């Protein structure tokens, strides 16, 4: 077989979801999973052929290997979207786009704001907001739509509070977050939305220089004022936190609710243990594992040749670690297609792995624990008000989710 | 069992605190993991091993 013929037969990444289960990773992705061959070439949207890593053990290995770079302008970096590829060389260094000591510097600017003890202290506030939103939902029209009623407002309110962003602007930034995460946007639309959000954030940072609060943007404002950080560096950081801080949790709440409604036995168990914080915390890890909403990540460029799974991966080549594949690896999670809220799932890779693992993960956990511990307890008759087949899933967004989830009770 | 944390590697993900809150905490100012108990009792060993296994930065070393 010639090399050309082999290239033509490469599987596409991402594979379409098709099939009957929109909650499962694409069947075409799972078919590639092979413990003896954890690394293989695939073809992505721009015709390039990066390596795909499908097993849990191999992904943990490469995502903590300093010979792979998260810098998107590096040779061979497998871009997720056309917009990313077009703008790669202009991207400012930031937490998502740097390696090693430089990345550590960025990360440490934020870590104190998102520690587990600090996020645990927010639990009563998150509970209060959740209860208020559910009160409002119960007093309003029935049926209703879950994103609008609960999934979006809860994490948006929390990230606004933490960053010091006015919640009154939520329609504006939620719409721009949708564009930021869209896969098929034009490079022009992407640049325009990034510029709009950055100028919005830098406006807020400027205000906080004169009128400080107790929030992350105030911390950034102090660094800018002290000359430790340029405004051009601070604004993208605020942009990343604002988008990642609400859109991801919102999608998890909606997807998780829909998935639980499809699994009445598991849902009954959750309802029964709704006051058991440990059970609920574990259930959330299993939902994170099962649904893995960053379905197109993680991506790296190889900067020094590595040996992995019997292959030599060369400097200048790209690697995609499919997080949903790792989370459905039967070696790490026996019978991965079975949703089992009591299984040990904390070693999932839904927040990524290695030095770039999600900074906001402990906030997301508390939000999800409160929502899933409260929603079905307070509304035991909650049900889908649509056919599963009629729901539109966000295959075209970097954060997997459901565009609208009609519910009734 | 003796635990050693590599502060340089730690990325303040908080995973060790989730796994073993009696043994690990996070420093207020930068989120870096701190040890509450360098030599924890045997009954906490499974939690500590879990903490080391879920540390994304592989910053926890256990000396048996």
């Amino acid at each position: 077989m010639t090399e050309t013929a082999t290239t033509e037969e490469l599987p596409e990444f991402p594979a379409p979801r098709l099939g009957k289960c929109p909650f499962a990773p694409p069947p075409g992705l799972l078919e590639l999973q092979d413990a003896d061959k954890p690394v293989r070439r695939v073809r992505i949207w721009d015709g390039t052929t990066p390596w795909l890593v499908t097993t849990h053990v191999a992904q943990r290995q490469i995502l903590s290997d300093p010979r792979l770079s998260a810098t998107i302008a590096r040779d061979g970096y497998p871009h997720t979207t056309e917009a990313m590829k077009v703008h790669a060389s202009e991207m400012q260094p930031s937490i998502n786009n740097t390696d090693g000591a430089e990345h550590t510097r960025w990360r440490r600017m934020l870590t104190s704001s998102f520690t587990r003890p600090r996020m645990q202290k927010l639990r009563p506030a998150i509970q209060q907001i959740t209860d208020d939103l559910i009160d409002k939902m119960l007093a309003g029209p029935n049926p209703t739509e879950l994103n609008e009623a609960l999934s979006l407002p809860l994490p948006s309110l929390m990230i606004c509070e933490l960053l010091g962003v006015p919640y009154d602007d939520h329609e504006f930034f939620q719409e721009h977050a949708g564009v930021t995460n869209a896969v098929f946007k034009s490079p022009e639309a992407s640049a325009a939305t990034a510029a709009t959000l950055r100028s919005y954030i830098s406006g807020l940072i400027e205000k906080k220089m004169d009128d400080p609060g107790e929030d992350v943007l105030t911390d950034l404002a102090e660094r800018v004022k002290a000359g430790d950080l340029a405004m051009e560096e601070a604004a993208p950081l605020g942009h990343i936190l604002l988008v990642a801080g609400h859109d991801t949790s919102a999608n998890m709440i909606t997807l998780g609710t829909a998935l639980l409604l499809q699994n009445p036995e598991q849902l009954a168990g959750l309802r029964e243990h709704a006051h058991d914080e440990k059970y609920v915390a574990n259930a959330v890890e299993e939902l994170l594992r099962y649904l893995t909403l960053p379905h197109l990540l993680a991506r790296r460029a190889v900067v020094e040749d590595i040996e992995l799974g019997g292959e030599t991966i060369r400097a200048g080549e790209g690697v995609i670690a499919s997080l949903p594949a790792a989370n459905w690896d039967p070696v790490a999670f026996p019978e991965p297609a079975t949703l089992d809220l009591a299984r040990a799932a904390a070693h999932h890779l839904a927040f990524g792995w290695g030095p770039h693992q999600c900074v906001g993960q402990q906030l997301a956990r508390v939000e999800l624990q409160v929502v899933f511990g409260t929603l079905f307890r307070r509304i035991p008759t909650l049900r889908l008000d649509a056919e599963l087949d009629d729901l539109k899933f966000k295959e075209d967004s970097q954060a997997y989710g459901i565009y609208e989830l009609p519910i009734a009770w | 069992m003796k635990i050693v944390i590599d502060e340089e590697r730690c990325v303040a993900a908080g995973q060790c605190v989730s796994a073993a809150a009696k043994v690990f905490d996070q420093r207020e100012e930068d989120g870096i993991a701190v040890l509450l108990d360098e030599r924890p009792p045997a009954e906490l060993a499974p939690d500590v091993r879990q903490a080391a296994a879920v540390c994304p930065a592989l910053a926890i070393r256990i000396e048996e």
Side-chain angles (χ1 to χ4, degrees):
Chain A
M1 194 184 291
T2 67
E3 200 174 324
T4 320
T6 313
T7 308
E8 278 165 7
E9 285 162 20
L10 287 180
E12 298 277 333
F13 181 89
R17 295 244 175 191
L18 305 173
K20 284 184 186 150
C21 188
F23 301 106
L29 173 65
L30 297 178
E31 278 164 20
L32 301 180
Q33 208 161 41
D34 179 350
D36 295 329
K37 196 173 164 37
V39 184
R40 57 188 306 152
R41 280 198 185 268
V42 289
R43 183 195 302 276
I44 64 171
W45 64 275
D46 63 353
T48 59
T49 55
W51 298 92
L52 179 73
V53 185
T54 54
T55 67
H56 189 263
V57 67
Q59 289 196 24
R60 282 179 38 140
Q61 202 178 323
I62 60 137
L63 292 175
S64 53
D65 190 324
R67 293 172 295 176
L68 289 100
S69 167
T71 304
I72 72 166
R74 285 263 191 193
D75 283 350
Y77 187 97
H79 297 288
T80 317
T81 66
E82 186 194 356
M84 228 174 134
K85 186 171 186 164
V86 169
H87 295 298
S89 61
E90 313 148 21
M91 288 289 280
Q92 288 284 340
S94 192
I95 186 164
N96 290 344
N97 192 26
T98 44
D99 304 297
E102 196 187 358
H103 167 251
T104 305
R105 170 182 164 257
W106 283 103
R107 191 164 173 113
R108 298 228 163 135
M109 284 182 207
L110 302 175
T111 43
S112 68
S113 305
F114 294 95
T115 64
R116 188 177 186 277
R118 248 184 214 207
M119 297 305 102
Q120 288 294 337
K121 279 186 203 136
L122 293 179
R123 190 179 280 272
I126 294 172
Q127 184 68 57
Q128 187 62 54
I129 294 171
T130 304
D131 279 322
D132 291 349
L133 289 167
I134 293 175
D135 285 343
K136 208 171 139 193
M137 196 164 106
L138 290 170
N142 179 9
T144 189
E145 197 279 307
L146 192 69
N147 286 314
E148 190 84 11
L150 179 66
S151 309
L152 265 170
L154 171 69
S156 299
L157 279 158
M158 289 315 302
I159 201 67
C160 281
E161 175 74 25
L162 280 165
L163 295 187
V165 168
Y167 181 70
D168 283 348
D169 297 339
H170 70 273
E171 282 180 13
F172 159 78
F173 67 70
Q174 284 165 354
E175 193 190 316
H176 283 283
V179 180
T180 302
N181 282 337
V183 173
F184 302 120
K185 67 199 162 205
S186 71
E188 295 75 26
S190 169
T193 216
T196 305
L197 275 176
R198 277 165 206 180
S199 97
Y200 171 69
I201 299 281
S202 55
L204 291 174
I205 293 175
E206 265 163 29
K207 272 188 208 157
K208 284 171 196 293
M209 288 184 183
D210 302 322
D211 183 16
E214 279 188 35
D215 49 57
V216 174
L217 293 189
T218 297
D219 295 347
L220 295 180
E222 279 168 9
R223 285 175 198 269
V224 174
K225 219 171 164 177
D228 296 341
L229 192 67
M231 185 61 97
E232 301 79 65
E233 296 179 305
L237 200 54
H239 170 195
I240 291 165
L241 289 175
L242 181 59
V243 172
H246 76 272
D247 194 58
T248 45
S249 299
N251 283 310
M252 259 312 289
I253 295 169
T254 297
L255 268 176
T257 301
L259 176 65
L260 287 164
L261 291 172
Q262 296 302 116
N263 287 270
E265 276 180 30
Q266 290 297 309
L267 179 55
L270 177 63
R271 225 183 255 128
E272 192 185 319
H273 296 97
H275 289 287
D276 178 348
E277 273 189 22
K278 221 172 163 182
Y279 183 94
V280 175
N282 191 70
V284 164
E285 300 305 317
E286 169 68 348
L287 292 170
L288 287 162
R289 174 196 78 81
Y290 199 95
L291 296 166
T292 320
L293 66 92
H295 59 139
L296 306 177
L297 302 180
R299 301 185 182 224
R300 296 289 184 269
V302 179
V303 292
E304 202 182 305
D305 293 2
I306 56 168
E307 299 289 328
L308 184 67
E311 301 281 359
T312 303
I313 303 180
R314 307 271 178 206
E317 293 183 333
V319 172
I320 300 173
S322 165
L323 303 173
N327 284 344
W328 280 53
D329 177 348
V331 176
F333 304 100
E335 293 185 46
T338 304
L339 179 73
D340 174 4
L341 300 184
R343 83 156 81 214
H347 53 303
H348 67 73
L349 306 188
F351 291 113
W353 184 254
H356 283 273
Q357 198 184 48
C358 176
V359 169
Q361 60 181 290
Q362 301 300 345
L363 173 62
R365 285 197 165 92
V366 182
E367 289 172 347
L368 297 172
Q369 289 164 12
V370 169
V371 168
F372 291 119
T374 307
L375 181 62
F376 301 102
R377 174 170 58 76
R378 290 207 50 200
I379 318 181
T381 56
L382 194 77
R383 60 182 164 81
L384 274 187
D385 191 47
E387 294 299 323
L388 195 61
D389 288 347
D390 294 335
L391 299 178
K392 192 167 180 282
F393 285 79
K394 295 187 181 178
E395 276 200 79
D396 52 353
S397 175
Q398 300 200 52
Y400 193 57
I402 308 174
Y403 280 99
E404 286 183 1
L405 189 71
I407 46 154
W409 54 89
Chain B
M1 167 184 271
K2 184 178 179 249
I3 309 167
V4 181
I5 290 178
D6 183 341
E7 287 197 12
E8 289 296 304
R9 283 189 152 205
C10 175
V11 294
Q15 290 280 68
C16 55
V17 194
S18 298
K22 286 181 184 155
V23 180
F24 300 95
D25 199 356
Q26 282 181 279
R27 208 153 62 194
E28 184 83 1
E29 65 269 26
D30 57 9
I32 299 300
V34 288
L35 274 174
L36 301 174
D37 190 348
E38 196 184 50
R39 291 180 183 279
E43 69 264 25
L44 294 178
D47 290 352
V48 171
R49 285 201 187 90
Q50 170 75 359
V54 295
C55 171
L58 310 174
I60 299 170
R61 202 174 75 235
I62 300 171
E63 293 170 1
E64 300 288 346

